C-alpha cells in the first residue's frame, strides 16, 4: 500500500494546468488546450493509471486498504473531472451562438463523465466497505459526502429525481 499511496500522492500533487485565458476566444482556447491542457491530461492520466493499478492490487489484501484505495481512487478521478469541467466556453460561442454554447458545454461534460463515473464508483465502494465496522465510519461519511457532492451527469439530469419506495 505504501507504493500505491506514493503514486496517488504524486498524481494528486501534479499542479493543475495554467488557467484558461480570462476572455477566451476560439483561437486562444485552442492554443491553451494544445499547449497546456493536453500535456497536463496526458501526464495526469499516466500518474492516475499507475496509482490505480497499485491501489487495485493493495485493495485485494485487507479491508482497510480496500477502503483507503476507494477513497484515493475517487479523489484521483474527481480531480481530473474538476479540471475538465472548468474549461470555459469561447467568447464567440457564448455571445453569438447560444444553442452551440449548450452543445459545447454538453461535450465538455461528456469528456469529464468517465472520470466522474469512476469517482462515483470508487466512493460508493469505499463507503460500502467502510460500513463493515464502526471504526471505519469516518471513511463511510467522507466517501458518501464526496460522492454526493459530485456533479450529476447529463443522463442523471435528464432522468430527473427518482424516488425509491421501500415497503416493510
Amino acid at each position: 500500500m505504501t507504493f500505491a499511496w506514493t503514486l496517488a500522492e504524486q498524481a494528486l500533487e501534479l499542479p493543475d494546468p495554467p488557467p484558461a485565458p480570462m476572455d477566451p476566444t476560439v483561437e486562444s482556447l485552442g492554443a491553451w488546450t494544445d499547449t497546456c491542457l493536453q500535456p497536463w491530461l496526458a501526464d495526469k492520466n499516466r500518474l492516475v493509471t499507475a496509482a490505480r493499478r497499485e491501489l487495485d492490487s493493495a485493495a485485494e489484501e485487507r479491508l482497510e486498504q480496500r477502503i483507503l484505495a476507494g477513497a484515493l481512487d475517487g479523489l484521483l478521478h474527481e480531480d481530473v473531472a474538476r479540471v475538465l469541467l472548468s474549461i470555459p466556453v469561447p467568447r464567440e460561442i457564448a455571445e453569438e451562438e447560444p444553442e452551440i454554447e449548450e452543445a459545447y458545454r454538453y461535450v465538455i461534460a461528456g469528456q469529464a463523465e468517465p472520470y466522474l463515473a469512476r469517482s462515483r464508483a470508487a466512493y460508493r465502494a469505499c463507503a460500502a466497505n467502510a460500513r463493515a465496522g464502526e471504526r471505519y465510519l469516518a471513511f463511510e461519511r467522507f466517501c458518501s459526502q464526496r460522492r454526493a457532492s459530485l456533479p450529476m451527469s447529463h443522463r442523471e439530469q435528464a432522468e430527473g429525481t427518482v424516488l425509491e419506495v421501500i415497503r416493510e
Side-chain angles (χ1 to χ4, degrees), residues 63-64 67 129-141:
L63 175 63
E64 292 85 358
I67 294 166
N129 286 320
R131 288 186 199 105
E134 195 168 313
R135 69 186 218 195
Y136 308 121
L137 290 181
F139 275 100
E140 192 276 332
R141 283 189 301 278

Side-chain angles (χ1 to χ4, degrees), residues 6 8 11 14 19 23 38 42 49 55 60 64 84 95 106 127 142-143 146 154 158:
T6 299
L14 181 70
D23 187 23
Q38 286 180 349
T49 299
L55 289 167
E60 294 176 8
E64 292 85 358
L84 292 174
E95 292 174 356
Y106 186 83
F142 172 82
C143 290
R146 294 301 294 206
H154 277 86

